[in-house]
Amino acid sequence: MPYFEFLIAVKKKDMKAVDNIVADEVFTSIVEVDGTRLNLERAAFLARIESKIAETEHWDFDIIYKANIQERVIAFMEVSRELKDLERKREKVAWLLTFQKVDDGFKLVRLFAEELELTRV
């Protein structure tokens, strides 16, 4: 289950593992809370993940749906994270991840994210 490998790498703050899981030609689309849409290239996506990891105290992942479709694994989840800042904020995001079989493993080829809310705990 490649999405577990990705989630564990994020939770452990292991950017080397995240980098190994993300495909060279990854497509990412992120919609921020204010409606701003970002389509990021691989380097910008990795930088954003690294930034999110650095500012996060705790992650929670709720896998809502998962499926194996031919050479792909798709997972839909709600992600919650507590920020390290003094105001104790919590962010909720919906992620749709697609992993493609490559050789003897899987690579993240698509990530769609919709930021749902940012609240104080």
Side-chain angles (χ1 to χ4, degrees):
M1 293 180 273
Y3 51 91
F4 277 136
E5 292 176 32
F6 182 73
L7 300 180
I8 289 168
V10 167
K11 199 163 190 167
K12 288 186 172 182
K13 303 179 181 195
D14 186 349
M15 279 306 297
K16 185 176 180 182
V18 171
D19 182 57
N20 287 334
I21 294 167
V22 175
D24 292 338
E25 298 294 320
V26 66
F27 175 81
T28 63
S29 182
I30 300 167
V31 179
E32 296 179 331
V33 173
D34 67 3
T36 304
R37 183 183 199 136
L38 306 170
N39 293 319
L40 304 175
E41 299 290 328
R42 185 179 195 279
F45 171 65
L46 290 172
R48 184 169 177 106
I49 289 287
E50 187 169 26
S51 169
K52 297 287 186 179
I53 286 172
E55 67 187 22
T56 301
E57 182 72 30
H58 178 74
W59 294 88
D60 284 316
F61 304 100
D62 184 17
I63 299 168
I64 297 166
Y65 176 80
K66 58 188 183 309
N68 295 324
I69 303 169
Q70 296 179 2
E71 300 280 310
R72 294 168 296 163
V73 174
I74 296 170
F76 178 68
M77 64 194 66
E78 182 179 274
V79 179
S80 298
R81 64 188 191 101
E82 286 185 27
L83 305 179
K84 289 181 180 176
D85 69 4
L86 298 176
E87 297 180 22
R88 300 269 306 156
K89 292 181 183 174
R90 177 175 277 275
E91 180 183 59
K92 284 191 178 183
V93 181
W95 281 358
L96 177 62
L97 308 168
T98 303
F99 296 86
Q100 181 71 44
K101 181 133 177 76
V102 177
D103 300 323
D104 61 346
F106 286 86
K107 294 285 187 178
L108 178 66
V109 294
R110 282 183 293 284
L111 179 138
F112 297 95
E114 181 93 22
E115 294 180 355
L116 304 174
E117 65 184 4
L118 181 61
T119 58
R120 289 179 197 236
V121 179

